[in-house]
Amino acid sequence: MMRIGDFSKLSRVTVKTLRYYDDVGLLKAAHVDGFTGYRYYTYDQLPRLNRILALKDLGFSLQEIGQLLNDRLTVEQMYGMLKLRQAQIRQHMQEESERLARVEARLRQLTQEEGMSTYDVRIKPVAALRVAALRAVVPTPPDQGQLWQELYLHLAREGVQPDGPCLTVYYDEEYKERDWDLEVCEPIAGDLRPTERIQVRNLEAAEQMAYVVHHGPFTTIGEAYDALMKWVSENGYRIIGPAREVYLRAAEKGRQDDPETVTEVQFPVEKAREAA
Amino acid sequence: MMRIGDFSKLSRVTVKTLRYYDDVGLLKAAHVDGFTGYRYYTYDQLPRLNRILALKDLGFSLQEIGQLLNDRLTVEQMYGMLKLRQAQIRQHMQEESERLARVEARLRQLTQEEGMSTYDVRIKPVAALRVAALRAVVPTPPDQGQLWQELYLHLAREGVQPDGPCLTVYYDEEYKERDWDLEVCEPIAGDLRPTERIQVRNLEAAEQMAYVVHHGPFTTIGEAYDALMKWVSENGYRIIGPAREVYLRAAEKGRQDDPETVTEVQFPVEKAREAA
DNA sequence: TCTTGACTCTCCCGTTGCTGGAGACTGTAT
DNA sequence: ATACAGTCTCCAGCAACGGGAGAGTCAAGA
């Protein structure tokens, strides 16, 4: 029988921690004086405490440790918990590794460019999206204005409400001077009678969508693409689908130089086998 | 100008989070209605929010992000913070990797042995320790009793108080039947007049001391050694110094089979180049 | 015009694994 | 007797929000 301070010295665990473990029931004091409230511990309790510490080293939470210690677990259950923990750690290491890659890409960028880029690229998952879509080939991107007119005219005639910001999908894999293959899309909730050119379809979901927000006139949106493509290659990703432009805040009718437009440029990506 | 819910949809950041960022000053609403308290945001604020999210992806805390965004940082300071973050992530990955190795070692052990070992091995740093020490060669470990008598007699005569649990250092690298080279040590605070055989010296610190607590008679302490050595090899460590036995709870005078003794067996170790 | 329902506001609590501090006792040594 | 070290029980705080209560606000339909 010894007091908490002695047990603390013995185990090199702080008194505070011992009291906490007592409170949460992980390691109850062997005896508590009913009058003074003093906790008393025995040498017998050292193995249990050491087991707690060892399990903590494995990364288990105190709650999990409580289960591992108190419930009579079968070997299978024990095995399951360890396997789970193993998977969690692997997952965590994966994430950290990607984080590290991003930090290093920023460092390279910083040394190259003197100052931080004005664009911040991120990855997010994007769900499938039900849209009214019109795909066509137009001479240049600004010419898609006609397509939008056609699309919205039909929506209005059918009395279908837009349901979120509109977007354009760009299908060309390489940059072209003329004849862009693109599709203008407007999310809708309900149904819509299709026409020859306008149909309702589901835009594919993307697990990893690299994106960047461009705030300014369309005329400078190339910079956003540059930043995005650079980030993608620097961070060891690969583009696996057509680009999207989501018009978070639409420009005034057809104006290409409205400085108040906000556009999100997106590329579905996946991790390349081995980053450079 | 839009309300918080619209800005939330736009940015895919929860309303709660936006309010929190407002509270902590990371992203203040562009305007707050003095009467209703409603927050209003502008499209202009989207880039800042995206920068916050991007920096969060790099693993910075909100406080650090606040610095990165608000203070006018020089490129050097920015570089320094990124370098620091890089080092932290590397460190963290290292730790996770070791954790993973420990979990996997437990898994192997579990499949081999049907049930968890009764010994829990851990690693801790051990500080240097000032001790009164007597080193000698004795036929077998139990014969160290004479050395203890000699040591304590001298301490008593000099009026020096013990200052912590006593321990024995075992210098033999291989197991021996007879003639053990060992050193009995008692931590002391003050000074002590040395004798021909007894001296005061500093036990070396060890950055990584693998240890296990044995609770039971000395006669079975071999099991603790077995478990410890097995753990060390399974987890990819290497022994780099002599073993120590710390007598957390001393046995009754010379009794080898006192079931209430508590002994901590220690080996200084380091990570081997590449674990099996 | 009233009502409904969706939105927003400000608190406050809970999360994890403790650490630090205040204020009150208790135990031991001088 | 007194000092001082040890112990007790609260309570607050960390990080980054999420959940929920209770009250007020806004836009649209009856």
Side-chain angles (χ1 to χ4, degrees), chain A residues 187-207:
Chain A
I188 56 174
D191 218 342
L192 175 72
R193 196 165 54 80
T195 71
E196 236 177 85
R197 288 162 47 94
I198 298 171
Q199 50 166 328
V200 174
R201 73 185 199 86
N202 276 317
L203 282 184
E204 296 162 41
E207 268 187 52

Side-chain angles (χ1 to χ4, degrees), chain B residues 131-138 144-152 154 167-169 171 181-186 195-201:
Chain B
V131 294
L134 166 50
R135 181 168 177 174
V137 175
V138 295
Q144 66 183 275
Q146 305 155 21
L147 303 181
W148 287 114
Q149 280 185 22
E150 186 178 341
L151 183 63
Y152 281 117
H154 184 61
L167 60 130
T168 302
V169 183
Y171 287 99
D181 180 11
L182 50 79
E183 182 175 28
V184 299
C185 306
E186 175 60 54
T195 72
E196 236 177 86
R197 286 160 52 91
I198 298 172
Q199 48 165 329
V200 175
R201 73 184 200 86

Side-chain angles (χ1 to χ4, degrees), chain B residues 153-207:
Chain B
L153 188 63
H154 184 61
L155 286 177
R157 268 210 281 254
E158 297 289 324
V160 172
Q161 292 295 324
D163 181 38
C166 61
L167 60 130
T168 302
V169 183
Y170 291 87
Y171 287 99
D172 297 304
E173 300 210 353
E174 303 146 24
Y175 178 80
K176 299 176 109 173
E177 288 273 318
R178 324 212 100 250
D179 300 336
W180 294 58
D181 180 11
L182 50 79
E183 182 175 28
V184 299
C185 306
E186 175 60 54
I188 57 173
D191 219 341
L192 176 72
R193 197 165 52 80
T195 72
E196 236 177 86
R197 286 160 52 91
I198 298 172
Q199 48 165 329
V200 175
R201 73 184 200 86
N202 277 315
L203 282 184
E204 294 162 43
E207 265 186 53

Side-chain angles (χ1 to χ4, degrees), chain A residues 13-227:
Chain A
V13 171
T14 67
V15 170
K16 281 280 189 184
T17 301
L18 288 173
R19 281 203 270 256
Y20 180 66
Y21 287 171
D22 190 0
D23 287 349
V24 300
L26 202 53
L27 183 76
K28 285 283 184 194
H31 172 249
V32 178
D33 187 306
F35 182 61
T36 67
Y38 275 32
R39 295 172 178 82
Y40 291 91
Y41 291 84
T42 65
Y43 286 93
D44 288 359
Q45 300 187 275
L46 210 44
R48 184 176 169 101
L49 180 53
N50 270 296
R51 169 143 298 180
I52 291 168
L53 298 177
L55 290 171
K56 212 150 67 76
D57 284 346
L58 299 184
F60 287 105
S61 71
L62 295 193
Q63 206 183 38
E64 289 168 322
I65 293 173
Q67 287 177 30
L68 286 165
L69 287 176
N70 294 332
D71 309 349
R72 295 252 158 265
L73 290 186
T74 65
V75 176
E76 284 74 31
Q77 286 172 313
M78 181 83 72
Y79 190 82
M81 289 192 74
L82 281 169
K83 271 287 178 193
L84 180 61
R85 194 80 256 289
Q86 186 188 30
Q88 287 171 346
I89 297 173
R90 289 223 171 106
Q91 167 84 18
H92 198 191
M93 283 185 66
Q94 174 75 14
E95 288 165 9
E96 283 293 84
S97 155
E98 285 168 13
R99 213 190 295 281
L100 183 59
R102 284 197 296 272
V103 169
E104 286 171 345
R106 279 257 180 180
L107 272 168
R108 278 196 301 276
Q109 182 196 303
L110 196 60
T111 49
Q112 279 172 28
E113 295 185 11
E114 291 288 313
M116 241 158 165
S117 157
T118 44
Y119 289 102
D120 296 288
V121 181
R122 287 186 72 222
I123 298 235
K124 66 177 170 189
V126 165
L129 189 60
R130 179 177 179 75
V131 294
L134 166 51
R135 180 168 176 175
V137 175
V138 295
T140 69
D143 296 312
Q144 67 183 272
Q146 305 155 21
L147 304 180
W148 286 114
Q149 278 185 23
E150 185 178 341
L151 183 63
Y152 281 117
L153 188 62
H154 183 62
L155 286 176
R157 268 208 283 252
E158 298 290 323
V160 172
Q161 291 296 324
D163 182 39
C166 61
L167 60 131
T168 302
V169 183
Y170 291 86
Y171 288 99
D172 297 304
E173 299 211 353
E174 304 146 24
Y175 178 79
K176 299 175 105 174
E177 286 274 316
R178 324 214 99 248
D179 300 335
W180 296 58
D181 179 10
L182 50 80
E183 184 175 28
V184 298
C185 306
E186 174 61 54
I188 56 174
D191 218 342
L192 175 72
R193 196 165 54 80
T195 71
E196 236 177 85
R197 288 162 47 94
I198 298 171
Q199 50 166 328
V200 174
R201 73 185 199 86
N202 276 317
L203 282 184
E204 296 162 41
E207 268 187 52
Q208 298 187 296
M209 187 70 97
Y211 74 97
V212 71
V213 172
H214 174 72
H215 184 270
F218 275 124
T219 48
T220 57
I221 204 169
E223 295 166 20
Y225 274 91
D226 290 346

Side-chain angles (χ1 to χ4, degrees), chain B residues 3-5 16 19 36-39:
Chain B
R3 296 196 308 197
I4 197 169
K16 280 282 189 183
R19 280 203 271 256
T36 68
Y38 274 32
R39 294 172 179 83

Side-chain angles (χ1 to χ4, degrees), chain B residues 88-272:
Chain B
Q88 286 170 346
I89 296 173
R90 290 223 170 103
Q91 167 84 16
H92 199 195
M93 283 185 67
Q94 173 75 15
E95 287 164 10
E96 283 294 83
S97 156
E98 285 168 13
R99 212 191 296 279
L100 184 59
R102 285 196 297 270
V103 169
E104 286 172 344
R106 279 256 178 176
L107 271 168
R108 279 196 300 277
Q109 181 196 304
L110 195 60
T111 50
Q112 279 172 27
E113 294 185 11
E114 290 289 311
M116 238 157 165
S117 157
T118 45
Y119 289 103
D120 295 289
V121 181
R122 286 186 74 222
I123 298 236
K124 66 179 171 187
V126 166
L129 191 60
R130 181 178 178 76
V131 294
L134 166 50
R135 181 168 177 174
V137 175
V138 295
T140 69
D143 296 311
Q144 66 183 275
Q146 305 155 21
L147 303 181
W148 287 114
Q149 280 185 22
E150 186 178 341
L151 183 63
Y152 281 117
L153 188 63
H154 184 61
L155 286 177
R157 268 210 281 254
E158 297 289 324
V160 172
Q161 292 295 324
D163 181 38
C166 61
L167 60 130
T168 302
V169 183
Y170 291 87
Y171 287 99
D172 297 304
E173 300 210 353
E174 303 146 24
Y175 178 80
K176 299 176 109 173
E177 288 273 318
R178 324 212 100 250
D179 300 336
W180 294 58
D181 180 11
L182 50 79
E183 182 175 28
V184 299
C185 306
E186 175 60 54
I188 57 173
D191 219 341
L192 176 72
R193 197 165 52 80
T195 72
E196 236 177 86
R197 286 160 52 91
I198 298 172
Q199 48 165 329
V200 175
R201 73 184 200 86
N202 277 315
L203 282 184
E204 294 162 43
E207 265 186 53
Q208 297 187 296
M209 188 69 99
Y211 74 97
V212 71
V213 172
H214 175 73
H215 185 267
F218 275 123
T219 46
T220 58
I221 204 167
E223 295 166 20
Y225 275 91
D226 290 347
L228 187 47
M229 308 258 279
K230 187 171 175 193
W231 187 95
V232 165
S233 83
E234 287 252 323
N235 283 273
Y237 285 93
R238 208 157 50 83
I239 293 170
I240 57 168
R244 300 182 188 177
E245 278 177 14
V246 184
Y247 305 109
L248 297 177
R249 186 186 196 189
E252 286 177 37
K253 292 243 162 200
R255 262 190 74 186
Q256 290 294 308
D257 59 346
D258 182 338
E260 293 307 316
T261 59
V262 181
T263 314
E264 185 173 306
V265 183
Q266 303 179 335
F267 273 111
V269 296
E270 69 177 14
K271 203 76 181 165

